[in-house]
């Protein structure tokens, strides 16, 4: 479980888009198990990874079930796994309140359809990636529109659900990254610090300064 932190423009999203082969590195190299990513077929890479960015896809013409199932269409649909994915993403309760539950179309343009809030859309998108259950998962600010209580629940479940898999998380909220196995601090495209939360706090550098500043905002 790797967390990447840093100020806006530090290069966090660029790094994960390079890993996702959205961009091709012009200098240096990205290795996966010692193999240059440029030598790996995109189809093979994408079969084994899932990435959820801030500008995630919203399929308003599809039902809730279809929005989740689209995360992994190469297997037979499993309703139990879908419901578990929704539960893990803290989405099950509000889905059950929709007019047709999982069969509700996610747009008010259709009869009987509804338009989810931004936070609900984000949870449905998260459910899609829990349903996909890839060996490599990338989350870029996956809970930016979600309240703090739900966010804490979701990140606890992310760390538990993807056990023995590789998870890369980008977040500005230190409460969500402190439990990562390794935290990488970027500044101007460079790794300036890395380690566990405890190690970085002890170091007293950029991470520690930012963490303490953010923590002050929660004090009375």
């Amino acid at each position: 479980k790797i967390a990447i932190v840093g100020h806006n423009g530090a290069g966090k999203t660029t790094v994960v888009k390079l890993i996702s082969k959205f961009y091709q590195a012009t200098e240096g190299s990205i290795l996966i198990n010692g193999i240059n990513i440029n030598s790996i077929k995109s189809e093979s890479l994408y079969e084994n990874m899932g990435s959820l960015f801030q500008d995630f896809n919203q399929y308003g013409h599809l039902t809730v079930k279809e929005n989740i199932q689209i995360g992994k269409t190469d297997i037979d649909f499993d309703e139990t796994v879908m419901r578990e994915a929704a539960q893990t993403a803290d989405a099950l309760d509000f889905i059950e309140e929709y007019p047709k539950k999982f069969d509700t179309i996610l747009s008010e343009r259709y009869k009987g359809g509804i338009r989810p809030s931004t936070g609900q859309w984000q949870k449905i998108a998260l459910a899609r990636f829990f349903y996909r259950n890839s060996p490599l998962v990338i989350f870029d600010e996956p809970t930016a529109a979600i309240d703090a209580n739900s966010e804490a629940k979701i990140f606890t479940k992310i760390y538990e659900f993807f056990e023995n898999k590789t998870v890369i998380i980008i977040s500005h909220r230190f409460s969500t990254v402190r439990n990562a196995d390794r935290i990488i601090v970027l500044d101007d495209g460079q790794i300036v610090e890395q380690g566990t939360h405890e190690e970085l706090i002890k170091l007293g550098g950029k991470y520690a300064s930012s963490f303490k500043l953010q923590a002050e905002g929660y004090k009375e």
Side-chain angles (χ1 to χ4, degrees), residues 104-210:
T104 303
I105 297 178
L106 297 178
S107 173
E108 75 279 18
R109 297 180 179 179
Y110 298 89
K111 185 177 180 180
I114 61 95
R115 180 173 63 181
S117 67
T118 304
Q120 288 178 341
W121 261 124
Q122 207 156 40
K123 290 181 180 181
I124 291 169
L126 278 164
R128 184 185 308 152
F129 281 84
F130 284 122
Y131 185 80
R132 181 172 178 79
N133 196 11
S134 301
L136 168 60
V137 186
I138 297 173
F139 293 113
D140 185 356
E141 293 285 351
T143 54
I146 296 174
D147 64 89
N149 287 335
S150 290
E151 182 188 53
K153 292 179 187 176
I154 290 169
F155 268 94
T156 297
K157 290 175 180 177
I158 284 176
Y159 286 119
E160 293 173 352
F161 185 85
F162 292 106
E163 186 178 5
N164 298 322
K165 298 186 178 184
T166 299
V167 180
I168 301 174
I169 297 170
I170 293 176
S171 179
H172 284 99
R173 299 181 186 175
F174 290 94
S175 59
T176 64
V177 305
R178 62 182 300 168
N179 293 323
D181 299 314
R182 182 155 55 105
I183 301 169
I184 295 172
V185 183
L186 288 185
D187 187 27
D188 195 24
Q190 304 291 322
I191 297 176
V192 293
E193 297 172 6
Q194 59 179 311
T196 64
H197 171 77
E198 290 75 16
E199 290 169 345
L200 292 174
I201 290 296
K202 187 176 180 180
L203 183 65
K206 287 182 176 291
Y207 178 87
S209 176
S210 297

Side-chain angles (χ1 to χ4, degrees), residues 28-58:
S29 58
I30 298 172
L31 306 179
I32 297 181
N33 292 334
I35 301 172
N36 192 301
I37 196 171
N38 294 331
S39 301
I40 299 174
K41 290 184 177 180
S42 297
E43 294 83 356
S44 176
L45 179 66
Y46 296 149
E47 282 176 3
N48 290 284
M49 73 178 295
S51 51
L52 179 59
F53 294 94
Q54 298 174 55
D55 50 348
F56 58 88
N57 290 329
Q58 300 177 10

Side-chain angles (χ1 to χ4, degrees), residues 64-80:
V64 178
K65 177 173 71 176
E66 291 165 339
N67 263 274
I68 296 174
Q69 182 188 8
I70 205 170
K72 193 169 182 64
T73 57
D74 59 342
I75 61 170
D76 293 335
F77 173 68
D78 189 321
E79 183 172 355
T80 300

